[in-house]
């Protein structure tokens, strides 16, 4: 078993990648065995379904062709009737009427038969699909929220996920590592995992962020004017000119973006502060021009190192290439920086930065503020980190197997290379915080990050202001009930819009100024608050996700029943059941 991970790139290639593929595959096959799903029967059912779908598709095409022919026949009959009416006496109208009536009768019978056949085939598809869903139901019930955690910990034992993000984990980060946990009112937690890496706490989070940007609105106006001119024969003529005048304006516009990052607490180098961003130098090869660019960057670092005026303490590292590519020149403590980035750490970090085949290369922002590290990897921005069981539900075993394996292997690679910059620092794997020894004394209630994630899982539409036309940032505040549940107030902040017109003066080719209208929207902030009830469905010590394996059999907590909340209206997320309280 591999414990410490000091060479993240090599160990991923030589061990972790294959190990996770095997662990994921074995896990899925074990679920299939436990479920008792008959794969051969499911294959036969799905094959019959595909055949029915193919026949239904063909019948649908044929039905469409017959309807087009009927439309053409109606158009032809009308044209014929108009022609006969214009050129012959009215009794001749009986001929196209009789022909048209007979044709319509036959076409309608064909179309009605086609409609009935199409309906029979579609009903048969639905019935066969229901059979397939029934065959897969025992397996679908086994998917739960903690599969991502189980697979990750099996492959990399040093990483352990929590059942959910608790107040205890938040207090540990706050009290032991000095992290507040507050991202601000313009950020909402879409999803968050918490856990420990070598006993040190981490958070993997996806957020929705808002800021006021700008949008360019365009408008146009057509103008025309006449002018007199002499032609080639000396006579006066008049001609008309046409021109389209264009105008644009910029106005404030609410912007939204998802991001994914990792927060990691570690007591090593407790006074060190630095930041770095992805560097274009990491992608350079060994060509002459690329070497020149690297050397120029190194010479700038050396010059900065010699500039030791008041308040300047930067000293270039012996490994100039590492210093140029990692580019943490704003560091405040040279001794602790060197303690953290030993020659081995520098070597492994360089491998990660320059890699373009195994992992994702230099895609990450790395910020350290004393005992809190934040890694924001660009490649994780599009990674689904939720592990939502509903994603794996299906009626076809072969497709479910393929999706399950693909999802978990993609997640593992993305997350592994998200934390790889932390794994590349050996000192981080040698520090075990004091608070981890007493971790069982911490509160097990979900923290406000988990509340925000639960609210976002319910969906913004549940909390939006009626006039909101943009996305909403969801923030929460909670108080505890006597039965151990939490009443969480969810406040959704978004914008309503009002249409405006701004006139821009534009000079036309006629020499005059014209007012060009530009339509734009002015945005005003709106808020709406809705209560949500949250309660844990497992007690401390139970396996995380245990209750989720048979969510349709859960008994509602008393607080839910008292408020008339039906289980079908509640959402089970990890070991927490929640519901929006009826108004």
């Amino acid at each position: 078993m591999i414990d410490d991970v000091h060479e993240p790139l090599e160990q991923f290639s030589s061990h972790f990648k294959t190990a996770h593929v095997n662990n994921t595959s074995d896990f899925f096959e074990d679920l299939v065995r436990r479920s008792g799903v008959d794969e051969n029967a499911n294959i036969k059912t799905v094959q019959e379904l595909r055949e029915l779908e193919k026949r239904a598709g063909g019948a649908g095409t044929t039905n469409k062709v017959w309807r087009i022919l009927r439309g053409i026949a109606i158009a032809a009959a009308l044209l014929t009737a108009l022609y006969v009416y214009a050129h012959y006496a009215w009794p001749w109208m009986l001929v196209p009427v009789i022909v048209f009536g007979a044709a319509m009768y036959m076409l309608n019978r064909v179309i009605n038969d086609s409609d009935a056949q199409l309906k029979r085939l579609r009903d048969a598809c639905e019935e066969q699909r229901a059979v397939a869903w029934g065959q897969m139901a025992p397996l679908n019930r086994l998917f739960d929220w903690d599969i991502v955690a189980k697979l990750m910990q099996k492959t990399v034992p040093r990483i352990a996920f929590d059942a959910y993000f608790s107040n205890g984990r938040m207090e540990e980060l706050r009290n032991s590592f000095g992290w507040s946990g507050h991202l601000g009112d313009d950020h909402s937690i879409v999803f968050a995992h918490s856990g420990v890496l070598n006993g040190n706490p981490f958070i993997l989070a996806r957020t929705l962020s808002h800021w006021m940007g700008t949008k360019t609105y365009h408008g146009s106006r057509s103008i025309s004017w006449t002018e007199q001119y002499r032609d080639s024969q000396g006579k006066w003529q008049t001609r008309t000119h046409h021109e389209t005048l264009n105008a644009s304006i910029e106005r404030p516009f609410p912007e939204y973006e998802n991001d994914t990052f990792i927060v990691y607490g570690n007591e090593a180098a407790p006074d060190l502060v630095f930041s770095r961003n992805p560097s274009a130098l990491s992608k350079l090869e060994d060509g002459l021009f690329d070497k020149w660019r690297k050397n120029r960057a190194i010479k700038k670092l050396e010059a900065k190192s010699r500039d030791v005026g008041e308040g300047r303490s930067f000293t270039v590292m012996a490994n100039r290439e590492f210093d140029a590519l990692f580019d943490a020149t704003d560091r405040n403590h040279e001794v602790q920086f060197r303690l953290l980035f030993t020659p081995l750490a520098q070597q492994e970090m360089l491998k990660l930065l320059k890699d373009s085949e195994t992992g994702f290369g230099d895609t990450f922002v790395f910020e350290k503020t004393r005992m809190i590290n934040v890694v924001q990897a660009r490649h994780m921005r599009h990674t689904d980190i939720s592990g939502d069981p509903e994603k794996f539900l299906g009626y076809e075993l072969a497709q479910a197997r393929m999706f399950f394996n693909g999802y978990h292997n993609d997640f593992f690679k993305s997350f592994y290379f998200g934390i790889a910059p932390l794994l590349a620092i050996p000192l981080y794997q040698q520090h075990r915080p004091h608070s981890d020894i007493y971790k069982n004394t911490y509160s097990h209630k979900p923290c406000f990050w988990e509340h925000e994630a639960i609210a976002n899982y319910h969906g913004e539409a549940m909390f939006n202001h009626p006039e909101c036309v943009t996305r909403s940032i969801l923030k929460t505040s909670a108080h505890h009930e006597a039965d151990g549940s939490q009443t969480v107030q969810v406040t959704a902040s978004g914008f309503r819009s009002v249409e405006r017109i701004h006139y821009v003066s534009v000079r036309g080719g006629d020499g005059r100024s014209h007012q060009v209208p530009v339509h734009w929207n002015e945005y005003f902030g709106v808020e709406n608050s809705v209560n949500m009830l949250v309660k844990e469905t497992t007690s401390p010590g139970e396996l995380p996700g245990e209750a989720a394996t048979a969510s349709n059999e859960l008994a509602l907590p008393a607080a839910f029943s008292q408020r008339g909340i039906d289980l079908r209206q509640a959402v089970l997320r990890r070991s927490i059941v929640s519901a929006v309280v009826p108004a």
Side-chain angles (χ1 to χ4, degrees):
M1 179 183 293
I2 294 179
D3 288 332
D4 289 338
V5 185
H6 295 311
E7 299 174 335
L9 195 63
E10 285 84 351
Q11 287 174 267
F12 180 84
S13 298
S14 64
H15 175 73
F16 290 129
K17 181 179 180 180
T18 302
H20 199 72
V21 168
N22 293 334
N23 291 337
T24 301
S25 178
D26 292 345
F27 191 95
F28 184 84
E29 299 310 322
D30 183 60
L31 289 179
V32 174
R33 284 191 293 272
R34 286 168 53 196
S35 71
V37 170
D38 186 336
E39 183 165 7
N40 291 328
N42 183 253
I43 289 172
K44 182 180 178 181
T45 300
V46 172
Q47 285 176 342
E48 292 173 355
L49 172 61
R50 297 290 177 257
E51 180 61 31
L52 285 169
E53 289 174 340
K54 183 178 179 181
R55 290 171 58 191
T61 300
T62 302
N63 184 268
K64 184 176 181 180
V65 170
W66 283 118
R67 290 178 180 276
I68 291 172
L69 286 175
R70 183 170 64 181
I72 293 173
I74 292 172
L78 288 174
L79 291 173
T80 302
L82 289 173
Y83 180 80
V84 171
Y85 180 77
H87 296 83
Y88 300 95
W90 70 265
W92 286 98
M93 289 287 293
L94 294 173
V95 176
V97 168
I98 294 171
V99 173
F100 175 71
M104 284 300 98
Y105 175 76
M106 296 301 297
L107 275 174
N108 283 332
R109 284 195 60 178
V110 171
I111 290 172
N112 289 338
D113 291 343
S114 177
D115 287 342
Q117 172 70 0
L118 181 59
K119 185 179 185 305
R120 284 194 297 270
L121 286 171
R122 286 175 174 171
D123 289 344
C125 286
E126 289 304 314
E127 291 174 5
Q128 194 73 358
R129 193 174 290 110
V131 171
W133 276 110
Q135 292 172 338
M136 287 286 286
L139 175 61
N140 288 334
R141 283 195 292 268
L142 294 179
F143 295 124
D144 59 41
W145 288 97
D146 66 337
I147 292 177
V148 162
K150 289 177 180 177
L151 289 172
M152 181 65 69
Q153 189 165 359
K154 185 173 178 61
T155 303
V156 187
R158 292 291 191 181
I159 300 174
F161 284 79
D162 299 326
Y164 52 85
F165 194 174
S166 67
N167 281 326
R169 187 65 72 195
M170 180 66 79
E171 288 301 310
E172 178 186 16
L173 284 160
R174 181 180 291 127
N175 297 334
S176 299
F177 300 94
W179 187 63
S180 71
H182 293 281
L183 301 180
D185 292 339
D186 291 331
H187 305 272
S188 182
I189 308 300
V190 176
F191 201 92
H193 291 285
S194 65
V196 291
L197 170 59
N198 288 342
N200 292 280
F202 75 84
I203 306 166
L204 168 62
R206 182 167 180 80
T207 60
L208 175 66
S209 301
H210 156 69
W211 70 98
M212 287 304 293
T214 59
K215 179 178 179 178
T216 301
Y217 295 86
H218 300 275
S220 62
R221 177 181 176 180
S222 297
I223 63 171
S224 62
W225 68 94
T226 59
E227 66 176 10
Q228 300 286 327
Y229 71 97
R230 288 183 182 274
D231 61 16
S232 58
Q233 298 177 356
K235 296 181 180 179
W236 285 101
Q237 302 287 345
T238 300
R239 59 186 170 194
T240 302
H241 292 272
H242 299 274
E243 183 181 10
T244 300
L245 303 180
N246 297 297
S248 63
I249 58 173
E250 285 191 352
R251 290 293 184 267
F253 184 78
E255 303 273 7
Y256 297 87
E257 183 180 56
N258 289 110
D259 213 344
T260 303
F261 57 89
I262 295 166
V263 178
Y264 175 64
N266 196 294
E267 295 170 348
D271 305 308
L272 179 60
V273 177
F274 71 79
S275 64
R276 64 90 52 186
N277 290 289
S279 172
L281 298 176
S282 302
K283 299 178 181 178
L284 300 181
E285 303 291 340
D286 294 327
L288 181 64
F289 183 69
D290 287 350
K291 286 183 178 179
W292 175 79
R293 289 182 63 185
K294 284 185 182 179
N295 289 333
R296 187 175 65 169
I298 289 170
K299 289 185 182 300
K300 287 182 179 179
L301 291 178
E302 291 173 340
K304 184 174 183 177
S305 181
R306 290 191 294 268
D307 187 9
V308 290
E310 183 179 354
R312 301 186 184 97
S313 60
F314 174 76
T315 305
V316 70
M317 306 278 279
N319 188 336
R320 302 292 202 265
E321 185 182 20
F322 166 78
D323 232 344
L325 270 61
F326 195 68
D327 196 28
T329 58
D330 62 350
R331 54 190 183 250
N332 69 331
H333 202 300
E334 288 294 331
V335 173
Q336 290 190 8
F337 189 82
R338 282 161 170 74
L339 183 66
L340 209 61
F341 291 98
T342 61
L344 175 60
Q346 295 175 41
Q347 171 187 306
E348 293 306 312
M349 191 67 75
L350 274 175
K351 289 178 182 178
L352 290 173
L353 294 174
K354 297 166 70 174
D355 167 61
S356 59
E357 297 179 0
T358 305
F360 299 93
D362 187 0
T363 67
F364 60 90
V365 174
F366 189 164
E367 297 179 354
K368 176 173 169 62
T369 306
R370 296 176 177 83
M371 289 185 283
I372 290 294
N373 302 263
V374 178
V375 179
Q376 191 175 32
R378 188 169 58 243
H379 73 262
M380 293 198 72
R381 188 169 291 175
H382 303 292
T383 300
D384 177 8
I385 68 170
S386 69
D388 184 351
E390 290 190 2
K391 295 181 181 298
F392 308 109
L393 305 183
Y395 62 82
E396 182 179 1
L397 182 55
Q399 190 277 335
R401 176 184 286 113
M402 182 173 64
F403 180 81
F404 183 92
N405 285 295
Y407 176 92
H408 288 286
N409 288 319
D410 289 345
F411 173 88
F412 175 75
K413 180 179 179 180
S414 182
F415 178 57
Y416 180 89
F417 283 101
I419 63 168
L422 303 171
L423 297 174
I425 302 173
L427 189 61
Y428 275 172
Q429 300 184 56
Q430 298 167 12
H431 274 260
R432 177 184 173 88
H434 176 76
S435 57
D436 183 54
I437 299 172
Y438 304 102
K439 60 183 179 182
N440 288 331
T441 64
Y442 285 103
S443 169
H444 287 269
K445 291 196 176 299
C447 70
F448 70 94
W449 274 44
E450 193 71 41
H451 293 158
E452 286 185 20
I454 292 170
N456 278 296
Y457 186 73
H458 276 282
E460 295 171 28
M462 298 288 289
F463 310 98
N464 277 348
H465 189 280
E467 296 181 16
C468 181
V469 296
T470 65
R471 299 205 62 179
S472 288
I473 296 294
L474 306 183
K475 305 300 290 185
T476 62
S477 60
H479 66 270
H480 302 282
E481 303 291 346
D483 66 349
S485 64
Q486 294 172 295
T487 298
V488 179
Q489 185 182 67
V490 182
T491 300
S493 301
F495 293 86
R496 66 180 178 90
S497 68
V498 177
E499 292 186 2
R500 307 288 193 197
I501 301 178
H502 181 78
Y503 291 91
V504 180
S505 180
V506 178
R507 191 173 182 82
D510 58 357
R512 299 168 56 195
S513 291
H514 301 267
Q515 298 299 308
V516 177
V518 180
H519 295 262
W520 63 284
N521 293 319
E522 186 172 6
Y523 290 88
F524 299 90
V526 290
E527 284 189 355
N528 188 50
S529 295
V530 178
N531 284 340
M532 178 176 70
L533 203 60
V534 175
K535 187 174 177 62
E536 300 96 313
T537 60
T538 58
S539 60
E542 285 186 281
L543 291 175
E546 187 175 60
T549 60
S551 58
N552 58 332
E553 300 173 6
L554 277 174
L556 276 178
F560 284 62
S561 301
Q562 291 166 5
R563 302 203 187 186
I565 297 174
D566 192 291
L567 177 60
R568 291 166 296 182
Q569 298 172 321
V571 172
L572 183 71
R573 183 179 178 276
R574 303 187 181 183
S575 302
I576 306 168
V577 65
S578 62
V580 178
V581 177

